Amino acid sequence: MRGTLFFRCLPLIATVAFVFLGGCLGKSQSSRFYTLTPMPEDQAMSKSENPAQNAAVGIGPIKLADYLDQSKLVTRTSDNRMIVAEYDQWAGSLQSNLTHVLAENIGFLLPTDRIYFYPWRTSVPIDYQVVLDVIRCDGRLGEDARLVARWSVYGGPEKKPLAVSRSSIREPVNGSDYAALVAAQSRALTKLSQEIVAAIHAASQKQPGN
């Protein structure tokens, strides 16, 4: 009798076990979110007088390579092979994050609070405009981060070209996880900001009366 009762309940037992195991096995990992960060302000403030201090700087347009136009982080295993992370994502738009961090860095380095984002009002008197085309922004976990970008600096309302350059920056990743990679990418963006500000400083020195 007990054996008969057991076999009658067997389908119910199997169903409960299936649901329980399915819930355990089907439980997905939680997503992890990351953001680029600007350089520390106290390490960036210019200590010397420069004609570019307090200049009005317009940031943009800024364009990212198509493969970066997504929420998930991208790494490489070789120059030609990329891996898109499953659970590691940008906290919002990478383009917006990169634009604002670049603006913060440039504002700290000049220094100036007069930072404007493209498109700005035509009535805003822009002294320098920074245009950026990001070709590469990725890396290899535990190895290095790479930032490759073409950029230009234009001066005044006539948008006179003052500098046109290409930066290729490699920054070591001090760890094997995505947090270490993003930290290295932030440092790479700081170096790019320094190169752009150096070009603005050089252009300001050539201004009449300097």
Side-chain angles (χ1 to χ4, degrees):
M1 187 70 179
R2 289 182 180 179
T4 302
L5 181 62
F6 173 78
F7 283 109
R8 286 180 179 178
C9 294
L10 188 59
L12 177 62
I13 296 172
T15 300
V16 172
F18 177 79
V19 172
F20 176 77
L21 291 174
C24 293
L25 295 175
K27 187 177 181 180
S28 61
Q29 294 186 36
S30 299
S31 295
R32 295 172 288 270
F33 298 93
Y34 304 87
T35 181
L36 297 168
T37 53
M39 62 194 307
E41 184 175 1
D42 59 351
Q43 296 179 18
M45 296 293 285
S46 176
K47 301 298 190 297
S48 60
E49 291 295 326
N50 189 286
Q53 286 188 2
N54 202 37
V57 180
I59 306 294
I62 292 181
K63 180 183 178 183
L64 300 187
D66 290 344
Y67 81 93
L68 296 171
D69 187 20
Q70 60 178 304
S71 61
K72 297 181 179 180
L73 272 69
V74 178
T75 56
R76 295 191 187 231
T77 57
S78 69
D79 288 340
N80 300 313
R81 184 183 178 192
M82 299 180 183
I83 295 178
V84 178
E86 186 172 1
Y87 299 107
D88 298 274
Q89 304 180 36
W90 294 109
S93 163
L94 173 59
Q95 182 176 34
S96 177
N97 184 198
L98 188 148
T99 300
H100 282 82
V101 171
L102 179 70
E104 285 287 281
N105 288 345
I106 290 176
F108 293 158
L109 289 163
L110 280 175
T112 182
D113 292 326
R114 300 168 65 199
I115 300 290
Y116 302 91
F117 296 98
Y118 181 87
W120 47 83
R121 294 180 180 178
T122 55
S123 59
V124 175
I126 297 295
D127 297 310
Y128 302 98
Q129 179 180 357
V130 177
V131 177
L132 185 67
D133 186 359
V134 178
I135 302 168
R136 179 173 175 177
C137 183
D138 52 54
R140 301 188 188 189
L141 295 176
E143 295 185 26
D144 55 29
R146 291 291 305 277
L147 175 60
V148 180
R150 295 186 183 276
W151 53 272
S152 303
V153 176
Y154 299 92
E158 67 280 5
K159 295 185 179 180
K160 178 182 178 181
L162 302 176
V164 178
S165 187
R166 178 184 183 276
S167 297
S168 181
I169 300 168
R170 187 188 300 268
E171 186 69 21
V173 176
N174 301 323
S176 59
D177 58 7
Y178 283 96
L181 173 65
V182 174
Q185 290 176 310
S186 297
R187 295 193 299 272
L189 187 54
T190 291
K191 290 183 177 180
L192 175 62
S193 306
Q194 291 169 335
E195 292 182 15
I196 293 172
V197 168
I200 293 175
H201 280 169
S204 68
Q205 297 291 346
K206 297 177 182 178
Q207 297 284 347
N210 296 325

